[in-house]
Amino acid sequence: MTGPLRPEFHEGQVLAAADLAATVAHARSAAVRHARLSHDWGIADGLGLTTENRTDPVSGDRFVEVSVQAGLAVDGTGREIVVPAPVVLSEADFEAVNGADGKTTDPYPVFLTAADRTQPPTGPASCAGSGGPTRVEESYQILFRRLGDERLVADQQPPAVAAAPAAPPVQWLVLLGFVQWNGAHFTAVVPAARGVGPRYVGVRADTVSARSGSLALRTLPEVQEGKPALVLSAAPAPTLVYGLYKGSGDVDPLLTVEANGNLTIAGSFSGQTSAGSVLATSGSATDGMVLPLPSGVTAAEIADGRVSLHVYVTPRIPPSEAGLTVPVEATVDGDRRVRCRLRSYDPGVGPAVTEASGSVDFLVLATVAATSGGGRG
């Protein structure tokens, strides 16, 4: 196996079509390797499914016309898929795939994939004869699939590290969303279904740096009032701020970490407990169950002595109009597993003495040990 081949030229060289094609192929290969290996594939911009209300002129039924908005996606092979203008989804194409299904409200997946389309020859014929195509449109195709085929997205495998762009392109499915169908028309758009939704581009990096001295992480491409943001800033003094955007575009701080470690919060603080405090949880458990720990307490803290555990169990005796039921065992082992057995005496039913698993009411108390720092370590 050789590495990527970069064309070289010299004065007086006779260039063939293969030499020019190699120049284009080298640049394309570098671009797709970067997109495939330095980024996570998905939707980069736009490509949302939108609806317009319509009325069937024959039946008078209301339905929606669904369109894919203009946008850009990068598939798992590193290829850009450009949708230059909104395109209306074809109900005939959908019906060709799913028309035989019975009536259902389950949403069907809609996919985008890359497609090459050869363009008619341009310019005069070559000296060797009639010329072939001189342009290939890097286009796209909208695909409808069966119910549940959204799971195919996760099964797709990227090509090898050195793989060149495929011609024709590999069919890589980019999920755009879901549509509902009433047997004749689309009725709604659903962003996600059965735990699967569209995937968006990402970056693979161990270091992210800001040229301006301030790095912001937010949940939407544009700043929107009331939406959260995390801002790391070096000026005028280093701070880490979490808060919500104000109408002015500034972040209203809810939590601030200063350079000296001081922490300022706008709300209440929970999750850490001070030395000597007691946490508790209670409930009912059956034989064989492991008792839960109070919220905020971990098994590691108990193991290293930072937290002491105290467990109290009381057997639950079921009501009975005849006979007598007494506990034989009601304990908790070192793994907090309940052991409860009940023995019943009923002379009117044979056998007169029976044993069965029982249940207990429990109370678990966790006390936090004192530390040199006055709190939990």
Side-chain angles (χ1 to χ4, degrees), residues 218 220-224 245:
R218 56 176 179 257
L220 293 172
E222 302 297 332
V223 172
Q224 290 191 20
Y245 278 115

Side-chain angles (χ1 to χ4, degrees), residues 4 12 29 44 48 92 114 162 191 201-203 207-208 221 252 258 260 272 322 326 364:
S29 297
V201 292
V203 61
T207 301
V208 179
D252 187 14
E258 299 175 6
N260 59 4
Q272 294 290 331
V326 296
V364 179

Side-chain angles (χ1 to χ4, degrees), residues 148-333:
D149 278 354
E150 65 276 0
R151 294 189 297 268
L152 298 175
V153 171
D155 296 333
Q156 299 175 115
Q157 296 298 318
V161 170
V170 174
Q171 187 182 88
W172 189 281
L173 299 176
V174 178
L175 180 65
L176 300 180
F178 298 80
V179 292
Q180 289 180 316
W181 177 258
N182 66 3
H185 298 288
F186 297 124
T187 58
V189 164
V190 181
R194 296 176 286 275
V196 181
R199 171 176 171 149
Y200 297 90
V201 292
V203 61
R204 302 178 185 179
D206 292 333
T207 301
V208 179
S209 59
R211 296 177 60 186
S212 67
S214 179
L215 183 66
L217 180 66
R218 56 176 179 257
T219 57
L220 293 172
E222 302 297 332
V223 172
Q224 290 191 20
E225 185 175 3
K227 298 300 182 180
L230 186 67
V231 180
L232 179 63
S233 177
T239 57
L240 176 64
V241 173
Y242 168 77
L244 304 179
Y245 278 115
K246 298 185 290 186
S248 62
D250 298 326
V251 175
D252 187 14
L254 296 176
L255 180 149
T256 302
V257 182
E258 299 175 6
N260 59 4
N262 287 345
L263 176 66
T264 303
I265 60 174
S268 60
F269 183 76
S270 62
Q272 294 290 331
T273 54
S274 59
S277 62
V278 178
L279 303 174
T281 186
S282 62
S284 299
T286 58
D287 180 64
M289 286 182 59
V290 175
L291 297 183
L293 293 173
S295 177
V297 176
T298 66
E301 291 174 319
I302 297 171
D304 62 20
R306 283 180 288 169
V307 175
S308 298
L309 211 60
H310 309 273
V311 181
Y312 304 88
V313 294
T314 304
R316 305 186 71 178
I317 307 300
S320 176
E321 297 181 357
L324 176 66
T325 299
V326 296
V328 177
E329 180 185 20
T331 60
V332 176
D333 64 18

